[in-house]
Amino acid sequence: MILGVSGLNGAGKGEVVRYLEQRSFYPLSLSDVIREELRSQGLEETRERMIETGTALRAAEGPGALAERLSRTFEPDRNYVIDSVRHPAEVEVLRGHTDAFRLIWVTADDETRLARVRARGRGGDPTTLEELRRLEDRETRSDDPAAQQLLAVRDLADFTVENDADLATLHAGVQGVLEQSFFFERPSWDEYFIAIAQKVASRSNCVKRKVGAVIAIDRRIVSTGYNGTPRGTRNCNEGGCPRCNSFARSGSGLGECLCSHGEENAITQAAYHGVSVRGGTLFTTLCPCLICTKMIINSGIEEVAYNAHYSLADVSLALLREAGIKVRQVG
């Protein structure tokens, strides 16, 4: 889950973030993107400068710039709560990042909010209702598309949480949001193993193409392999394969290539360590070539799932099917 939190000054956004942080959400703030920008410019943080710098970033990089920068830090295994969502484009960016995004609007009456603003005692904060409303006129509505547009953000909220009472009431409201926002998505087994094969491919030393393969039995990985020159020889990226290093045309001079393929290495690595692949499923980032196809058939592998199609693979696919091996393309 990724939950965005927005609201007017003193509404209680920080308390919502703290509540979620105590429930294993990682807290992030779009304001931190602005603070980092101020630090990079050697400028002191003030409320006015925060607003001006945020507007400048949106003007220079697009209205969703803060969310774009922040989303680059997301890890797929974490729940996040994001404070200081102040522009509708930021909502669009976060919704585009994941179906799990929900936006919470925190609200409280003006007098309550002013009392909270006074209590926190930050420099430059308003001290009267008139000052509070004058500041919020600037933050809530503007003809400048790069300026804060809180009212437009409010209109996009998935949930509104009232915060005019005590903390217990606020927490109950946030808990209700959690119960309605529960989002759980898991990759299929094919997607899971192909993703691992793609990571395996990143270890390849081939200068032309990176290919990774995974062999699993009963959904348990028994071997992996990536393409590159044989064990104990010079790596392809160090000049070990003249054919690859000359960037030969695809499909030409294959008999001169010194690199072993990812599927080949997955099978031979299993043999090297005395592990049977009989009855297994091979997951590969690229459809197998004819040489690897013959190894797959003779090793007893029963299924092949591949990601990208290989231009010379029609004969391979036909031979796999003729041998009774199940073949499917994933992704």
Side-chain angles (χ1 to χ4, degrees):
M1 273 187 283
I2 299 180
L3 298 179
V5 180
S6 188
L8 299 178
N9 293 307
K13 304 183 293 295
E15 184 57 41
V16 172
V17 171
R18 279 189 289 275
Y19 181 83
L20 291 169
E21 185 178 5
Q22 292 167 357
R23 281 145 186 84
S24 301
F25 281 74
Y26 286 78
L28 296 174
S29 174
L30 293 175
S31 293
D32 288 340
V33 177
I34 302 174
R35 292 186 180 98
E36 180 60 33
E37 183 67 20
L38 288 175
R39 281 193 292 270
S40 71
Q41 297 179 24
L43 298 174
E44 184 181 351
E45 177 188 331
T46 66
R47 185 175 188 85
E48 289 295 316
R49 197 168 278 154
M50 290 281 290
I51 293 172
E52 292 168 1
T53 303
T55 301
L57 285 173
R58 295 186 191 99
E61 301 177 18
L66 304 185
E68 291 280 6
R69 287 193 182 192
L70 194 69
S71 65
R72 295 171 198 154
T73 69
F74 293 167
E75 298 289 346
D77 58 342
R78 296 180 177 184
N79 289 334
Y80 289 102
V81 54
I82 300 172
D83 195 7
S84 301
V85 181
R86 298 178 178 276
H87 196 285
E90 295 164 354
V91 180
E92 293 175 10
V93 168
L94 294 169
R95 282 197 174 133
H97 182 80
T98 174
D99 291 336
F101 178 76
R102 300 292 184 271
L103 178 63
I104 303 170
W105 179 264
V106 187
T107 183
D109 63 62
D110 291 355
E111 289 77 10
T112 300
R113 293 191 299 107
L114 178 62
R116 292 172 182 157
V117 169
R118 283 174 170 171
R120 69 191 183 192
R122 293 180 187 168
D125 272 349
T127 58
T128 67
L129 280 176
E130 290 72 22
E131 291 176 357
L132 180 66
R133 288 165 181 161
R134 187 164 55 250
L135 172 66
E136 289 177 345
D137 276 343
R138 182 177 176 184
E139 294 181 347
T140 55
R141 54 176 71 87
S142 173
D143 294 331
D144 182 355
Q148 296 182 20
Q149 298 179 22
L150 280 174
L151 293 185
V153 172
R154 180 192 63 188
D155 293 341
L156 295 174
D158 299 289
F159 302 97
T160 297
V161 175
E162 301 283 346
N163 188 24
D164 290 317
D166 57 17
L167 283 179
T169 303
L170 174 64
H171 294 167
V174 179
Q175 191 66 30
V177 169
L178 287 176
E179 292 169 2
Q180 296 177 69
S181 302
F182 187 80
F183 183 90
F184 205 81
E185 185 177 56
R186 301 173 74 193
S188 68
W189 284 109
D190 278 358
E191 292 168 336
Y192 172 74
F193 284 118
I194 286 292
I196 295 174
Q198 290 169 336
K199 181 59 70 173
V200 170
S202 68
R203 281 284 303 163
S204 168
N205 64 63
C206 181
V207 300
K208 285 201 66 180
R209 193 198 307 264
K210 293 179 180 290
V211 178
V214 169
I215 301 173
I217 297 177
D218 294 330
R219 297 174 178 170
R220 179 176 62 88
I221 295 174
V222 296
S223 186
T224 65
Y226 50 84
N227 60 321
T229 48
R231 183 195 307 272
T233 65
R234 192 161 40 134
N235 287 336
C236 180
N237 63 305
E238 297 169 338
C241 177
R243 187 246 177 200
C244 289
N245 279 264
S246 68
F247 288 89
R249 184 170 58 86
S250 182
S252 67
L254 295 178
E256 301 171 0
C257 184
L258 301 185
C259 290
S260 298
H261 290 185
E263 304 94 324
E264 176 185 358
N265 274 333
I267 293 169
T268 57
Q269 283 299 305
Y272 182 85
H273 293 286
V275 176
S276 173
V277 297
R278 183 176 181 180
T281 300
L282 184 140
F283 298 88
T284 177
T285 59
L286 186 68
C287 189
C289 72
L290 187 56
I291 293 174
C292 289
T293 291
K294 290 183 284 187
M295 294 185 69
I296 290 167
I297 294 170
N298 287 338
S299 68
I301 288 171
E302 295 183 352
E303 292 184 272
V304 172
Y306 67 95
N307 180 230
H309 193 72
Y310 179 46
S311 58
L312 303 176
D314 290 343
V315 175
S316 299
L317 294 176
L319 191 61
L320 286 169
R321 292 188 175 105
E322 182 183 346
I325 293 175
K326 299 177 184 176
V327 181
R328 59 186 177 274
Q329 187 169 10
V330 179

